[in-house]
Amino acid sequence: MDIPATVDQLLPRLTLEEKAMLCVGRDFWTTHPIDRLGIPSIWLADGPTGVRKARHSTEPGIGTSLPATCFPTASALAASWDVHLVREVGRAIAIEAQAQGVHILLGPGVNLKRSPLGGRNFEYFSEDPLLSGELAAAFIAGAKEEGVGTCLKHFVANENETGRMYADSIVDERTLRELYLRPFEIAVTKSKPWAIMAAYNRVNGTFCTENAWLLRQVLHEEWGHDGIVVSDWLAVNDRVAPVAAGLHLQMPGGPLAERIAEAVRTGRLSEATLDGVVKELLTVILRADAARRPACTFDPEAHHQLARRAAGECITLLKNDGDLLPLEGARLTEIALIGAFAKEPRYQGAGSSEVVPTRVENAHDELVKLLGPSVRIAYAAGYGAGDTPDPALLQEAREIAVRSHVAVVFAGLPPSYESEGIDRNHLELPPSHNALIDTIVEVQPNTVVVLINGAAVTMPWAGRVPAIVEAWLGGQGAGGAIADVLVGRVNPSGKLAETFPARLEDTPSYLSFPGDPDGRVAFSEGLFTGYRWHDARAIEPLFPFGHGLFYTTFAYADLTVTRPEIRDDEVLDIALTVRNTGQRFGKEIVQLYLHERAPRYPRPPKELKAFQKVALAPGEEQRVHFQLVRKDFAYYDPQAHAWLANSGTFDILVGASSRDIRLSHTVSLHVSSPRPVYLDRFRPVWEWLMHPRGSALLAAPLARLRQAIGGTAEGEMSPMMEAIVHDLPVGKLVLFGAITESELERILAEVNAEPTP
Ligand code: BGC
């Protein structure tokens, strides 16, 4: 079908009422069909961790949706740092969407982890915009390969759950561009999702659903988004303003389409604007319909195995003193498995992303299956459903721990601790879980803690426990994946995609999260979130961004950079050798960070610019290649409203984590057309003196000023007066009689006549 031509034919045949109807959903999940013109209805369903298709389009369906494979949540998947894996998962979820008749998946989510307290952090990839954007781009591309659309969410600065429907995120433009918009920009420009979800909140005073700057200028004009914008569910406050701002589809449905038609009739909304929106919407509806494969089926067992493999790729070994893991030899004969999560795992987060799984594995049963009857596995629940430690359960757990060669304690966050709609108010595990770990490690030196949680937690016992495994919310195959890792069948290869802080007080938004009672959320830490903050403030995290261990080791060597200096748009090729120096097959995640030595504006000491996961057999080595281009060196200049790179010196830092830099190289960047500097009457004397024309134009007035203050043109002045003059806005020279107003106007015009060379 020639979709553009069909849309052009359909548009003039639609009545005003039909056009308005198309812009508002029919019910919870579908769009209005226009039967007389053959315009189909499409189905949108939650999909970041699996398809959540309600049984009827008129019901929300949380907990009652059709069974689908539950894959690891986004925070888990991100720990794999594996774009190929995420693409494969995206493809598998899309196949299930095809099989269930879903056209657009509501995901992935690329909000950043501004605070580890964010209630939906489990649904988001990372604190880093590059990692988030690349993984989202991979997911979108995978889904598209199977003819299914995605709705990238939640656009934008929806970083807290508290007051999410009315909160106003106050964010300066540079922070928005470099952090919160950036993952959207990467995913939109790389993979062109069919839809973007406008978030509930306001940004700098305007609701995202009505924000023409975001929806039209940034999304469409700057990034070339050619799909639609869908409101988050119930995010629309005014039926008409969103259409004018570039919002195509208001969800869920309701009886209010008439308002849009009425606005056109009364002249509040132009029909041409409505037509533009409907045209883009029809294009996506027809594209989605044409991509439908009604006969599509999927193999639940194959998808379950993918879910288990994916969960294994995400598991992050945080600590492994004395190589306690994997459990081999003597440690494998008698194991105490402790903690209710070993048998009744938590494997996904609560809220709209909740999938009804096709089946769920637990670590206890999978270990029994893997190890067979020769290994004695004793089990104790250790804690109940509540927070309060239960002495009887603790005693039972202690007894089996004493009798075994090793104790594996399953702990983490219960569903009530982590949910859409609720931010956390502390970073601790439930007291009952912490008490269990304390009890066991006291009697059993070979204690392994397996954590099941979707976001960072604090670990007061970390110094006393020799091995810690972060298993995340790993989806329905997580139990098997944990068993695989514990016995060494899988070498863990995840790394943290978010900083684990030592204390809540160390986190950047500690004083401003989740905002004030009026819903004002000041992103006052600006660019300094996560590792950017910890680096800048020299704060030691519990575990740093990018950290993860393996059952093998890797050595880094021979960092080469094509040239020591690059100019303008030249590309910098970087390569290094990574070698598996251990005894097992494993996967290393190589990270490249950039540090600018003397930035014009404050800049985080380190920014992730590239990463790669490499698989190596024991003794094998590989050259790993990266490229950096001008935008990688750039920052978002708040004056010029543009990405700019300045000439300067940059350190390329390559390492195994943000705090484990193994190799570095220094390069110079030469930019031949630097940021144009516009001088006005409020710019200080020092800045005029640095300007090639400004210093000449200011020479005479400055001499007169010195004379006025110091008595002579050379002007002996006290250090204090020197400092005041240095920083004096040039307009103030008028007040000293050092320049007339008309003379000032003349030199202002002359200094800004052409851009600085
Ligand atoms: C969530 C979205 C979700 C939608 C539909 C909203 O509450 O914020 O992420 O896609 O509901 O379930």
Side-chain angles (χ1 to χ4, degrees):
M1 185 206 288
D2 179 348
I3 292 175
T6 312
V7 170
D8 284 343
Q9 284 162 14
L10 286 172
L11 197 60
R13 298 173 62 198
L14 285 165
T15 65
L16 174 60
E17 289 68 26
E18 285 169 337
K19 287 188 266 193
M21 223 158 81
L22 278 171
C23 293
V24 183
R26 172 171 59 176
D27 47 31
F28 235 91
W29 305 112
T30 64
T31 61
H32 276 286
I34 310 282
D35 293 333
R36 72 176 187 91
L37 296 175
I39 297 173
S41 164
I42 61 167
W43 192 303
L44 301 91
D46 279 305
T49 42
V51 184
R52 187 176 72 79
K53 189 184 186 203
R55 287 172 190 270
H56 305 285
S57 62
T58 48
E59 64 186 29
I62 296 185
T64 57
S65 53
L66 298 173
T69 311
C70 180
F71 289 93
T73 60
S75 71
L77 272 183
S80 76
W81 293 60
D82 188 339
V83 286
H84 305 293
L85 177 75
V86 173
R87 192 175 184 130
E88 203 178 338
V89 169
R91 212 181 306 133
I93 295 178
I95 289 172
E96 297 192 19
Q98 283 283 11
Q100 295 192 1
V102 167
H103 300 82
I104 294 184
L105 291 163
L106 302 174
V110 286
N111 297 89
L112 299 182
K113 298 165 194 208
R114 178 175 171 245
S115 166
L117 296 175
R120 279 181 106 168
N121 280 8
F122 67 85
E123 248 185 279
Y124 301 137
F125 290 115
S126 174
E127 70 188 28
D128 184 83
L130 175 83
L131 184 56
S132 301
E134 292 291 341
L135 295 176
F139 186 98
I140 294 163
K144 261 181 147 176
E145 276 163 28
E146 299 300 336
V148 172
T150 46
C151 185
L152 186 65
K153 64 192 187 184
H154 305 90
F155 193 62
V156 63
N158 180 184
E159 262 54 21
N160 43 280
E161 294 302 286
T162 312
R164 67 174 171 160
M165 294 222 184
Y166 56 87
D168 187 6
S169 298
I170 312 291
V171 204
D172 65 88
E173 191 183 0
R174 182 174 173 212
T175 301
L176 259 183
R177 296 283 193 165
E178 290 191 27
L179 289 185
Y180 300 100
L181 285 171
R182 187 76 183 125
F184 288 96
E185 180 181 8
I186 294 170
V188 167
T189 52
K190 274 199 141 168
S191 293
K192 295 197 163 290
W194 292 1
I196 307 284
M197 186 185 288
Y200 288 120
N201 52 291
R202 303 169 226 232
V203 172
N204 297 325
T206 308
F207 279 110
C208 292
T209 50
E210 300 171 13
N211 200 318
W213 177 73
L214 283 172
L215 305 189
R216 278 283 160 212
Q217 186 183 316
V218 175
L219 199 50
H220 279 269
E221 284 161 33
E222 295 182 26
W223 301 346
H225 174 56
D226 62 358
I228 55 171
V229 181
V230 181
S231 74
D232 198 346
W233 268 232
L234 302 171
V236 163
N237 298 288
D238 175 315
R239 291 273 146 177
V240 180
V243 182
L247 187 114
H248 301 81
L249 181 60
Q250 312 187 4
M251 290 300 283
L256 296 168
E258 176 51 26
R259 295 259 183 94
I260 296 173
E262 181 61 21
V264 173
R265 278 186 225 111
T266 57
R268 191 181 156 204
L269 180 70
S270 85
E271 188 150 9
T273 303
L274 180 61
D275 283 355
V277 163
V278 171
K279 188 173 174 175
E280 288 159 340
L281 180 57
L282 274 180
T283 305
V284 168
I285 290 176
L286 297 187
R287 193 194 286 165
D289 187 59
R292 273 283 294 130
R293 301 203 306 251
C296 181
T297 55
F298 73 98
D299 174 357
E301 181 51 30
H303 281 199
H304 176 78
Q305 290 312 327
L306 170 60
R308 177 169 176 159
R309 176 159 59 82
E313 292 283 328
C314 306
I315 290 178
T316 310
L317 182 61
L318 295 175
K319 187 174 175 188
N320 195 19
D321 285 358
D323 291 335
L324 179 56
L325 287 174
L327 303 177
E328 288 172 329
R331 287 187 214 123
L332 248 191
T333 54
E334 278 184 65
I335 302 175
L337 269 195
I338 297 170
F341 278 1
K343 278 197 173 176
E344 294 142 42
R346 200 172 153 242
Y347 55 93
Q348 64 175 333
S352 60
S353 65
E354 232 174 289
V355 170
V356 172
T358 58
R359 60 187 254 213
V360 179
E361 285 177 353
N362 72 61
H364 174 275
D365 295 357
E366 293 308 310
L367 270 177
V368 170
K369 268 191 242 162
L370 275 182
L371 299 175
S374 57
V375 178
R376 204 177 70 83
I377 298 179
Y379 169 78
Y383 46 79
D387 277 0
T388 317
D390 179 327
L393 292 178
L394 290 177
Q395 180 55 25
E396 184 197 0
R398 184 196 319 234
E399 279 166 19
I400 68 160
V402 172
R403 287 203 313 264
S404 304
H405 292 135
V406 61
V408 182
V409 182
F410 285 73
L413 298 178
S416 60
Y417 275 57
E418 253 180 328
S419 167
E420 176 176 343
I422 311 168
D423 289 313
R424 289 152 79 196
N425 53 23
H426 63 76
L427 292 180
E428 285 148 39
L429 298 184
S432 51
H433 291 221
N434 276 336
L436 178 64
I437 297 169
D438 287 340
T439 305
I440 301 306
V441 76
E442 204 178 280
V443 296
Q444 175 51 268
N446 292 330
T447 293
V448 178
V449 170
V450 176
L451 288 170
I452 297 187
N453 49 295
V457 291
T458 46
M459 307 177 202
W461 34 260
R464 285 172 282 132
V465 170
I468 306 172
V469 176
E470 176 53 77
W472 307 107
L473 299 177
Q476 66 181 56
I482 294 168
D484 291 339
V485 163
L486 289 176
V487 301
R489 208 171 157 229
V490 165
N491 189 347
S493 62
K495 291 199 177 191
L496 293 181
E498 59 195 278
T499 305
F500 274 40
R503 326 175 295 157
L504 180 60
E505 292 83 345
D506 289 347
T507 60
S509 55
Y510 177 62
L511 296 174
S512 57
F513 185 92
D516 67 26
D518 308 322
R520 253 182 69 93
V521 188
F523 285 42
S524 42
E525 70 289 347
L527 295 170
F528 297 90
T529 54
Y531 67 89
R532 290 162 162 83
W533 166 264
H534 279 76
D535 284 350
R537 300 292 313 272
I539 297 170
E540 203 50 46
L542 174 60
F543 294 108
F545 177 81
H547 167 77
L549 304 171
F550 324 103
Y551 301 154
T552 187
T553 46
F554 296 96
Y556 289 53
D558 302 326
L559 177 66
T560 56
V561 173
T562 33
R563 51 185 88 116
E565 288 187 1
I566 52 163
R567 289 182 176 277
D568 299 325
D569 290 326
E570 286 174 351
V571 172
L572 193 65
D573 289 301
I574 297 150
L576 69 141
T577 301
V578 179
R579 182 182 169 78
N580 183 341
T581 46
Q583 306 300 318
R584 288 169 193 265
F585 168 84
K587 296 180 183 175
E588 171 62 308
I589 297 163
V590 184
Q591 300 155 47
L592 186 152
Y593 298 87
L594 205 58
H595 164 76
E596 183 172 1
R597 291 236 178 131
R600 176 182 170 88
Y601 294 104
R603 197 166 179 175
K606 230 184 262 124
E607 292 165 14
L608 182 74
K609 294 296 170 187
F611 61 90
Q612 220 179 101
K613 193 164 191 174
V614 281
L616 295 170
E620 195 188 349
E621 65 178 36
Q622 192 183 312
R623 278 307 266 171
V624 178
H625 296 268
F626 295 113
Q627 281 195 331
L628 293 180
V629 297
R630 166 128 66 142
K631 186 146 181 182
D632 294 316
F633 293 88
Y635 67 104
Y636 193 84
D637 191 293
Q639 301 294 325
H641 298 282
W643 288 93
L644 294 177
N646 289 330
S647 297
T649 307
F650 292 81
D651 296 310
I652 294 166
L653 310 168
V654 179
S657 92
S658 64
R659 290 287 171 107
D660 184 7
I661 300 302
R662 306 276 182 88
L663 301 169
S664 68
H665 205 288
T666 304
V667 292
S668 307
L669 175 70
H670 291 284
V671 178
S672 43
S673 50
R675 167 189 188 271
V677 177
Y678 292 99
L679 294 176
D680 61 26
R681 61 174 61 233
F682 304 108
R683 302 314 304 161
V685 164
W686 65 262
E687 199 170 1
W688 278 69
L689 294 181
M690 282 172 59
H691 189 278
R693 284 187 305 280
S695 63
L697 289 167
L698 201 63
L702 202 55
R704 287 195 288 274
L705 177 73
R706 286 179 172 281
Q707 204 154 29
I709 295 174
T712 66
E714 291 73 48
E716 268 296 295
M717 292 193 296
S718 69
M720 181 193 76
M721 286 312 293
E722 280 291 357
I724 289 173
V725 167
H726 180 75
D727 211 22
L728 196 67
V730 160
K732 306 268 183 215
L733 267 70
V734 176
L735 304 179
F736 287 93
I739 191 169
T740 62
E741 184 60 39
S742 59
E743 175 75 352
L744 178 64
E745 296 289 339
R746 186 187 66 74
I747 69 167
L748 276 171
E750 209 172 310
V751 80
N752 291 324
E754 47 188 283
T756 42

